[in-house]
Amino acid sequence: MSQKKSSRKRGRSQSSPHAPSTTADAVDELDERESSQSGMPSVATKTWLSIWVCFHLSALFVSFTSVVEPSSLQARLSQLVHPYLRAGHFAADDRPVYLAHGSESERPHRLQVTSDELTDPDAVESVDWQTVGTGGYEAREITPGLSVSDRAARWLSTAATLAENDQPGVVAELLLPIARHFVDAKAIRIVRFPTDLDDVNAVAESPYVARIVRANDVVSLIRLTPRRLSSQAVATPNVGSNGGSNDGLNGGGQTP
Amino acid sequence: MNRAPKQLSVAGGWDRFWFSPASVARSAIIRSVLSIATAFYFLGAWSDAAFWYTDGGPLSAARVATFLRTSGLEDAATWIVSPLFLAKSAWLYKLYLAVGIFVALVAAIGRGGRIAPWLLWLLLVGWANRAMILSDLTETLLSLGLFASAIAPPGGLPVVWLQLDRARSHWLAGFSQRLIAAQVTVVLIATFITMLGGRVWFNGLGAYALAAPAQDRTIDWTASALVNATLHEGITHLMVLAVPCGLLLAWTAKTHRVGQAILVLWCIATALLGSLWLYGLSLATMVMAIDPCVDVRAEIRVRGQLPREHPDGSPSD
């Protein structure tokens, strides 16, 4: 092997103005010549591609692993690589890389409107709700699990998560076109249905309920928030009808 | 100063892994399948494109701008670029999808030279970036796969079927296949790590959690034998183990077909349970690019000789 190398060196140095001074230089020179002769990439091309590959795979790993509670360091790294990843739609962002964790956001969501007046958040289940179509305003036959229903599911899941994170203004922005389309609707809600993973007594929840207010072609959504538990005394209008609540005070308030 | 032999072999190993020539036909098959998956993706977006994106729709350009401003995400969205943010009418979106389907089919049959695969990738990225909160992992996988497969020299199904150019090899085909394989490996490792972030993949409920939102699933597994605890717990544990074991076996020369089979079965199980059809198809296709062996015959064809420091690797098929 070394004889071949040295004979190659002797042969090539007769035509080359600069004889390689070390074994490594000889190897590099041989690489360059083979590359140009055989259509293989040059050393410079290989170097730049290698650097890019290392960066690209590292960026992917940081992005894909930061979907579950990233550390502050990982979050900072993600921010650094996001311009590159987002431009090419390579970023995982908040998508469920883990497939499923059994969280509330993975439960089925539906959007519903009602033409009944609704001012009391506790009366949500007593009105007649109509489910809005999936991927369209009107209800139509959609095969679940295909892309149309998946898009609607992701949209509603995002809206429900935003509602639970106290961002009603953002949710309203997402739902306003629906509220505008259904001109007779007086309230709108996102309903979340339980699955077999939930307690047998679990019922459908409404992470977002809002009154639709229309005035001069302007449509607004006013969120109806459930009453919170409070230790503050609440005066009741008729003590006797409470069947023994002795002094007219109801401690504890209502449950949401 | 001479480079130590160990450094030379590490660099040589890296070079051989990434820059060895490989069969153009093989990379063409992978690109064809990904292109067909992309065509189905665009087709699936046809029926509700007008509802979501046109003027007055829930994700019209104006509404997206307001949404980003209200939620304080304007900086995060700076790099989410798409020409569709300038489009307001339904026919433009449908035209975009029609062009996307056409280009996907052209790329799938190996026509269009180098332009079709790159154009297809750009069309997919443009649509996926426009979709924003509606997009999921399918778009990300397709983008990674199409990008890597566009690097390979042009070629397609008819060439393979006619047994022409089967001997054609190129270093870009090798680089493309390695990139797809490396990307899918990173994705699967990240999937395994993040799965372990949820209790359901430890307590045996993972497979059931995937199938549980039955109203949003094409197949309702909750009314089937999956309710049996032994069955869904067994599937859950197998799904967790399949990822690292499959990857290990796939990257080992003697067992790489077995490893690929395990990973493809994992993709099929995920697709069936979670109705993740295009996700499963894209991932399974990219898994087929995993090949730890260097194509010795391709190297000889291109270089005219074996490279220096060639290991005792078995030739790939």
Side-chain angles (χ1 to χ4, degrees):
Chain A
M1 180 77 143
S2 55
Q3 283 176 343
K4 274 190 194 171
K5 265 194 199 168
S6 50
S7 66
R8 269 194 229 150
K9 272 171 70 172
R10 272 200 301 277
R12 293 183 196 275
S13 66
Q14 287 170 358
S15 53
S16 164
H18 303 290
S21 55
T22 65
T23 307
D25 291 339
V27 168
D28 285 345
E29 191 176 318
L30 206 49
D31 273 339
E32 287 284 358
R33 290 181 193 218
E34 282 183 355
S35 302
S36 60
Q37 286 162 10
S38 66
M40 298 297 291
S42 65
V43 171
T45 304
K46 284 195 262 190
T47 304
W48 283 111
L49 282 177
S50 299
I51 292 171
W52 173 78
V53 159
C54 290
F55 168 74
H56 177 74
L57 295 177
S58 305
L60 280 185
F61 185 77
V62 166
S63 175
F64 273 72
T65 51
S66 61
V67 297
V68 181
E69 290 200 53
S71 63
S72 60
L73 175 62
Q74 195 171 10
R76 285 202 299 272
L77 283 172
S78 281
Q79 286 302 317
L80 272 178
V81 300
H82 266 159
Y84 165 72
L85 292 179
R86 282 196 177 137
H89 207 86
F90 298 145
D93 285 328
D94 289 328
R95 299 182 183 102
V97 175
Y98 45 80
L99 304 179
H101 274 171
S103 62
E104 285 188 333
S105 61
E106 295 164 23
R107 289 157 67 182
H109 295 77
R110 294 293 182 267
L111 189 64
Q112 295 179 330
V113 294
T114 179
S115 51
D116 298 340
E117 283 289 346
L118 181 65
T119 51
D120 182 3
D122 295 332
V124 169
E125 299 302 334
S126 61
V127 300
D128 187 27
W129 294 96
Q130 170 198 349
T131 301
V132 171
T134 303
Y137 295 109
E138 310 305 331
R140 54 190 174 123
E141 199 63 38
I142 300 287
T143 306
L146 297 186
S147 54
V148 175
S149 85
D150 285 349
R151 277 189 285 277
R154 276 192 291 278
W155 180 63
L156 287 175
S157 173
T158 302
T161 304
L162 289 168
E164 287 174 328
N165 287 329
D166 283 331
Q167 299 200 53
V170 182
V171 181
E173 278 303 323
L174 292 176
L175 300 183
L176 267 176
I178 313 294
R180 273 207 194 94
H181 178 82
F182 290 94
V183 293
D184 295 329
K186 301 237 172 37
I188 189 168
R189 74 166 177 171
I190 298 173
V191 61
R192 176 189 291 147
F193 294 104
T195 66
D196 287 354
L197 290 180
D198 298 302
D199 186 85
V200 66
N201 296 317
V203 295
E205 300 168 343
S206 301
Y208 181 83
V209 185
R211 277 178 52 220
I212 301 174
V213 175
R214 300 173 202 274
N216 300 330
D217 289 339
V218 174
V219 179
S220 309
L221 298 186
I222 299 175
R223 188 180 187 184
L224 294 173
T225 49
R227 287 184 199 139
R228 299 179 189 275
L229 281 172
S230 168
S231 58
Q232 197 170 21
V234 175
T236 55
N238 190 344
V239 173
S241 66
N242 284 338
S245 284
N246 34 27
D247 52 2
L249 295 176
N250 283 332
Q254 296 83 16
T255 53
Chain B
M1 185 189 295
N2 289 346
R3 237 183 277 164
K6 195 173 179 180
Q7 288 173 325
L8 278 174
S9 72
V10 167
W14 175 272
D15 269 3
R16 196 168 306 109
F17 180 83
W18 284 105
F19 304 110
S20 289
S23 163
V24 171
R26 189 168 175 204
S27 58
I29 292 173
I30 294 171
R31 181 170 50 218
S32 292
V33 177
L34 289 174
S35 300
I36 292 169
T38 308
F40 276 113
Y41 169 77
F42 282 135
L43 202 60
W46 185 274
S47 62
D48 58 349
F51 166 71
W52 290 111
Y53 306 117
T54 54
D55 239 1
L59 286 179
S60 64
R63 189 147 308 283
V64 166
T66 311
F67 166 74
L68 292 174
R69 203 167 41 245
T70 312
S71 56
L73 293 173
E74 285 163 300
D75 286 341
T78 307
W79 297 97
I80 301 178
V81 179
S82 172
L84 289 170
F85 283 114
L86 302 172
K88 292 183 182 175
S89 42
W91 71 267
L92 274 173
Y93 284 90
K94 301 255 170 139
L95 179 65
Y96 189 101
L97 289 173
V99 170
I101 293 169
F102 174 73
V103 174
L105 293 175
V106 166
I109 62 172
R111 302 295 177 219
R114 284 205 169 276
I115 294 177
W118 283 114
L119 181 59
L120 180 62
W121 174 68
L122 286 172
L123 288 169
L124 173 79
V125 169
W127 186 271
N129 280 348
R130 180 66 180 90
M132 289 187 78
I133 58 174
L134 302 184
S135 64
D136 77 341
L137 277 177
T138 301
E139 288 87 340
T140 308
L141 281 182
L142 282 175
S143 177
L144 289 170
L146 287 177
F147 177 82
S149 63
I151 292 171
L157 289 176
V159 175
V160 175
W161 288 338
L162 292 174
Q163 303 266 327
L164 294 173
D165 271 356
R166 282 192 77 90
R168 191 170 148 234
S169 305
H170 198 281
W171 74 271
L172 280 174
F175 183 78
S176 167
Q177 288 171 38
R178 291 301 194 196
L179 184 59
I180 294 174
Q183 287 177 148
V184 78
T185 302
V186 168
V187 168
L188 284 170
I189 290 174
T191 300
F192 174 69
I193 291 172
T194 54
M195 279 164 77
L196 297 182
R199 291 170 59 189
V200 292
W201 294 104
F202 282 99
N203 64 16
L205 286 175
Y208 206 87
L210 204 44
Q215 295 98 315
D216 292 341
R217 297 289 180 263
T218 313
I219 304 171
D220 182 3
W221 296 102
T222 59
S224 72
L226 195 67
V227 297
N228 180 283
T230 306
L231 183 62
H232 66 245
E233 287 174 4
I235 293 174
T236 299
H237 298 318
L238 283 175
M239 284 182 75
V240 173
L241 291 172
V243 177
C245 293
L247 281 174
L248 199 60
L249 292 172
W251 281 107
T252 305
K254 289 189 175 142
T255 56
H256 98 273
R257 286 292 185 213
V258 174
Q260 281 182 324
I262 290 173
L263 293 173
V264 168
L265 282 174
W266 184 91
C267 294
I268 292 172
T270 303
L272 285 172
L273 289 171
S275 296
L276 299 168
W277 308 111
L278 285 180
Y279 168 88
L281 174 63
S282 310
L283 203 60
T285 305
M286 291 169 75
V287 159
M288 298 312 292
I290 298 177
D291 188 350
C293 307
V294 169
D295 191 341
V296 175
R297 284 171 289 187
E299 288 234 48
I300 294 174
R301 277 197 294 274
V302 174
R303 290 174 182 268
Q305 61 181 13
L306 285 176
R308 296 179 308 282
E309 302 176 52
H310 195 274
D312 293 326
S314 55
S316 59
D317 48 344

